[in-house]
Amino acid sequence: MNMKKYIFLASILAGLITGCSPEIHTIWLDEMDLSQMETGWGSVKINQSVGGHPLTINGVKYERGLGTHAIYKYMVDLDHHGRRFTAKVGVDAESAKQASVEFFLLGDQKILWQSGIMKVTDSAKVIDQDIRGIDKLALYISDGGDGINYDHADWIDAKFEYVREAPEPVAPYVSEPDILTPPVSDAPRINGPAVTGATPGRPFLFRVPVTGKKPLVIVVNELPDGLEFNSETHVISGIAPDKGVYPIEIIAENDSGRDAKTLTLKTGEGLALTPPLGWNSWNCWGLSVDQEKVEAAADAMVKSGLADHGWTHINIDDGWEAPERTASGEIHPNEKFPDMKSVAGYCHNYGLKLGIYSSPGPKTCGGYLASYKHELQDAQTWAKWGIDYLKYDWCSYGGIAPDHSLPELKKPYELMRRCLDQVNRDIVYSLCQYGMGAVYEWGAGVGGNLWRTTGDINDSWNSMAGIGFGQAKASPYAGPGHWNDPDMLVVGQVGWGPSLHASKLTPDEQYTHISLWSLLAAPLLIGCDMTQLDDFTLNLLTNDEVLAVDQDPKGEQAVPVRQEPGVEIWARTLNDGSKAVGLFYTGESSPVKAFVWGKETPGKKMTVSWEELGINGKQTVRDLWRQKDLGEYDRSFSTHVPYHGVVLIKIAPVSE
Ligand code: GAL
């Protein structure tokens, strides 16, 4: 008999002998440690809705309770000391009209009570549940099965009655931060894209990304006229040649070996022929970004080795703009950026590229000055500074084009496209308007190199997985030079303001994030403080076989092969005809399975068949994160996938 059971029986026996029943105590849900509760968005609030309003269910206001957001999860160890759990539950009035949730009370892997689907128009339902004899009790709110994410749900007057020992919170399951990427080998390896684009006659810059033991000798052959290679900095620069396709041979050598690769330069076929790889200031610094932080990010990009794996862009988001234009109407940076031209020069010296941010409206989303009525002048100013990338964010343009008709949605983006075409500089054009009007259908048509397909991401599973697994509709529209952008990465130290915290995604969720974004051929823009890259984060971002999926020159975005509760299998065909496949276990396939009840490491056995991938015959399967061949398989491949995690594989026909 285990110790817990022994104490439990002994206490019952003691009660029987003494003839007195133990005293019943009460602890309120709002007195428990809120940090152990998982909530779909924001943070759990005491005596307020998750949006910060009085708790209200179907017109009735309540004084006491917790405001949460589905999916909500909380487990306590009652250790058989529980007696009753009582509460009222319902959808908070501040939720969207279509919100629906279901409340569950689970005890030792069984459903004790469930509310049925509840809508914002339902009155609170009462739970009065006997919890005697229960070891682990879990409170769960589902999204009602509709996948809609505006579900604000309240626990009113929720309390546990218990004897002797108060319920103990059980910390949510967090996977181990296992580093899967093998260490970088001593032998040279030329990384990064196999193809890059430029406009004839405009300045060209490309840092050749090579890993391997230093000193490395890099030779570049067949450079077109007008370009030169600096063997110290590994940067190709000059003026892009006439329209054409130029195969450039790159050879890297050191004591440990040699690597060769052809980089194809295509001129006159647009920019961003593979998805941009880089960093953006928003998810860490928010509006507190400044010149020092941007230059520190550029330093770190090179010193951490990320640049040797192909990471190139350093993008300044909102918060750089001065409140007024100069007398001649020029936009200029505020005091946080003493010299924007020198920031560009700083990045270019490394072979990195500098990005900037503006809005077609009078003000940016952060309330800073934007480009309305100064579009050409701003494009010219950015070109003069040496800017290589523009994120153009709708924001206050809503006030100018309030009806959101398709022509209105397109207009400001077409206008800026015309302006960018008039300056003598290649500027990657990133549209940001959160997916309005199915932008993926026309983003390329208005000249965008990429366009955001969603609202802002945050470092929660619901946000990341909700966005990532919701990209199927946009898939057909991605391709070289025009990409769907499911928003920036939320790994490492993030925070959207001066203070930062470690990403709240578990290690397995972070593997899901990078694998999924790579399958989606998404722009990868690191959103963390680059000066605080821990080993786990760095390894997550430097797996060349995973990055090669993202950067594959065919540019095909993955589509779902199977989407079932708890299971997502996504696949894309790569340039060499092989398939990149992600098997994801998204967890919550039932309320009971949403929790870890014992000491087991949660996961799921998953199988993908050749039939569903549209392939046949003997195939080699390679684990891309571990960079390891797993063997040959005839019809299907089965594997164990961790909870909220992924197994990312490449499947190629066995060569005869
Ligand atoms: C949002 C945008 C974010 C960030 C922010 C700056 O609209 O989606 O990515 O750029 O504005 O204010």
Side-chain angles (χ1 to χ4, degrees):
M1 188 184 315
N2 71 27
M3 199 55 169
K4 268 188 183 175
K5 277 201 182 127
Y6 175 78
I7 296 170
F8 171 61
L9 289 178
S11 62
I12 290 182
L13 210 59
L16 289 176
I17 294 166
T18 55
C20 54
S21 41
E23 195 187 338
I24 296 192
H25 306 276
T26 297
I27 185 160
W28 295 76
L29 186 60
D30 54 67
E31 293 171 334
M32 306 293 287
D33 179 358
L34 303 195
S35 71
Q36 309 283 15
M37 299 180 183
E38 293 175 67
T39 192
W41 175 85
S43 50
V44 174
K45 295 227 161 50
I46 297 180
N47 302 340
Q48 282 184 339
S49 67
V50 75
H53 300 111
L55 294 162
T56 311
I57 300 174
N58 195 23
V60 181
K61 289 204 168 29
Y62 297 91
E63 293 285 314
R64 183 162 202 172
L66 287 186
T68 75
H69 192 292
I71 293 169
Y72 167 88
K73 289 161 71 174
Y74 183 51
M75 184 185 253
V76 291
D77 195 350
L78 292 176
D79 198 9
H80 309 275
H81 292 103
R83 287 294 178 264
R84 283 172 77 214
F85 176 81
T86 52
K88 293 185 205 73
V89 295
V91 179
D92 193 276
E94 72 184 9
S95 302
K97 259 207 300 274
Q98 69 270 35
S100 67
V101 302
E102 187 163 13
F103 291 80
F104 292 86
L105 197 63
L106 310 160
D108 296 334
Q109 306 200 44
K110 292 203 180 63
I111 296 176
L112 304 177
W113 184 90
Q114 77 190 89
S115 64
I117 299 288
M118 293 190 75
K119 302 266 185 197
V120 73
T121 46
D122 289 330
S123 300
K125 290 194 177 173
V126 175
I127 312 181
D128 185 351
Q129 181 65 41
D130 184 341
I131 53 171
R132 277 176 299 183
I134 300 285
D135 186 20
K136 295 234 170 49
L137 184 79
L139 278 61
Y140 181 69
I141 309 175
S142 79
D143 66 0
D146 58 7
I148 291 175
N149 240 333
Y150 309 106
D151 307 322
H152 300 201
D154 302 333
W155 297 96
I156 305 295
D157 296 333
K159 57 183 192 293
F160 306 87
E161 288 176 7
Y162 65 94
V163 294
R164 294 185 200 92
E165 280 175 37
E168 281 285 327
V170 178
Y173 169 76
V174 176
S175 54
E176 291 296 318
D178 290 334
I179 288 177
L180 303 180
T181 304
V184 170
S185 78
D186 282 350
R189 185 185 152 114
I190 304 165
N191 302 305
V195 53
T196 191
T199 308
R202 288 193 184 161
F204 178 80
L205 188 76
F206 184 90
R207 182 188 164 99
V208 176
V210 183
T211 48
K213 207 170 115 207
K214 310 266 173 354
L216 274 163
V217 177
I218 300 177
V219 177
V220 173
N221 294 323
E222 292 154 54
L223 262 188
D225 286 349
L227 297 184
E228 59 180 31
F229 176 64
N230 180 326
S231 56
E232 296 280 302
T233 58
H234 301 178
V235 176
I236 302 173
S237 63
I239 298 297
D242 292 347
K243 184 170 166 49
V245 176
Y246 301 88
I248 299 170
E249 188 194 36
I250 303 172
I251 299 163
E253 247 173 316
N254 67 7
D255 289 354
S256 313
R258 177 182 194 274
D259 192 23
K261 177 170 171 173
T262 303
L263 168 72
T264 304
L265 166 63
K266 293 188 180 173
T267 54
E269 289 186 38
L271 308 179
L273 299 184
T274 62
L277 286 182
W279 174 85
N280 173 294
S281 58
W282 185 251
N283 286 358
C284 49
W285 303 124
L287 296 172
S288 72
V289 63
D290 62 31
Q291 180 160 337
E292 215 177 298
K293 291 187 172 99
V294 173
E295 291 181 353
D299 291 338
M301 187 70 101
V302 174
K303 287 203 186 103
S304 67
L306 279 166
D308 298 335
H309 295 270
W311 298 86
T312 305
H313 293 276
I314 297 289
N315 292 350
I316 303 168
D317 208 281
D318 203 356
W320 63 269
E321 312 86 339
E324 308 285 343
R325 291 177 177 270
T326 63
S328 59
E330 239 184 59
I331 197 160
H332 63 112
N334 56 39
E335 67 294 342
K336 294 189 293 154
F337 287 85
D339 184 354
M340 198 57 97
K341 198 169 177 184
S342 82
V343 187
Y346 196 88
C347 293
H348 295 160
N349 283 340
Y350 285 128
L352 303 177
K353 300 189 171 178
L354 184 67
I356 213 155
Y357 167 97
S358 193
S359 166
K363 288 277 157 64
T364 68
C365 294
Y368 286 71
L369 189 69
S371 297
Y372 184 53
K373 296 213 159 135
H374 290 270
E375 293 80 4
L376 180 58
Q377 194 176 18
D378 287 358
Q380 285 162 339
T381 304
W382 297 326
K384 190 176 73 186
W385 289 342
I387 296 297
D388 307 289
Y389 184 115
L390 168 68
K391 173 173 170 184
Y392 207 42
D393 193 353
W394 178 265
C395 304
S396 63
Y397 196 82
I400 289 157
D403 80 3
H404 287 195
S405 65
L406 203 53
E408 274 195 346
L409 290 175
K410 290 181 177 178
K411 192 173 158 196
Y413 291 102
E414 290 167 333
L415 172 58
M416 182 51 83
R417 174 73 271 166
R418 288 196 295 275
C419 299
L420 293 175
D421 288 342
Q422 287 174 55
V423 302
N424 181 31
R425 194 157 182 91
D426 274 346
I427 299 181
V428 171
Y429 188 27
S430 154
L431 278 43
C432 178
Q433 45 84 291
Y434 341 113
M436 289 185 296
V439 61
Y440 42 83
E441 290 174 2
W442 49 267
V446 299
N449 294 116
L450 56 150
W451 46 83
R452 277 270 296 279
T453 52
T454 72
D456 288 16
I457 198 169
N458 65 52
D459 56 326
S460 71
W461 167 255
N462 272 3
S463 167
M464 183 277 290
I467 289 176
F469 293 119
Q471 294 298 307
K473 267 205 284 206
S475 276
Y477 302 94
H482 47 94
W483 309 102
N484 293 304
D485 174 6
D487 207 0
M488 299 167 292
L489 302 179
V490 279
V491 302
Q493 294 285 324
V494 292
W496 296 269
S499 54
L500 303 179
H501 61 263
S503 171
K504 289 184 189 144
L505 296 180
T506 68
D508 277 324
E509 292 169 352
Q510 299 188 40
Y511 279 117
T512 290
H513 188 17
I514 304 299
S515 306
L516 185 53
W517 263 235
S518 297
L519 284 165
L520 293 173
L524 300 179
L525 292 171
I526 300 169
C528 68
D529 178 0
M530 298 279 288
T531 67
Q532 293 191 60
L533 286 165
D534 56 279
D535 285 354
F536 177 80
T537 311
L538 192 58
N539 281 275
L540 202 59
L541 300 171
T542 52
N543 189 310
D544 299 310
E545 296 195 19
V546 175
L547 292 175
V549 173
D550 182 71
Q551 293 294 300
D552 185 72
K554 188 176 166 76
E556 186 180 297
Q557 177 171 331
V559 291
V561 170
R562 205 189 312 158
Q563 290 190 294
E564 291 168 357
V567 174
E568 295 273 352
I569 300 181
W570 289 63
R572 66 182 277 191
T573 305
L574 302 175
N575 204 37
D576 64 3
S578 64
K579 298 268 181 190
V581 183
L583 295 92
F584 301 89
Y585 173 39
T586 52
E588 293 90 18
S589 50
S590 79
V592 169
K593 289 205 175 119
F595 294 90
V596 180
W597 296 91
K599 293 215 178 326
E600 78 277 8
T601 310
K604 190 181 181 69
K605 188 179 170 204
M606 283 171 60
T607 300
V608 62
S609 72
W610 288 184
E611 200 183 336
E612 57 192 331
L613 293 173
I615 53 174
N616 51 52
K618 206 184 255 301
Q619 307 280 331
T620 304
V621 175
R622 185 167 174 82
D623 182 325
L624 294 181
W625 279 106
R626 294 175 179 81
Q627 301 185 353
K628 198 173 132 199
D629 285 337
L630 300 176
E632 294 176 0
Y633 296 80
D634 286 323
R635 277 191 201 88
S636 64
F637 171 74
S638 299
T639 186
H640 176 89
V641 185
Y643 174 76
H644 281 188
V646 60
V647 172
L648 181 66
I649 52 175
K650 182 168 167 170
I651 306 182
V654 172
S655 39
E656 298 302 316

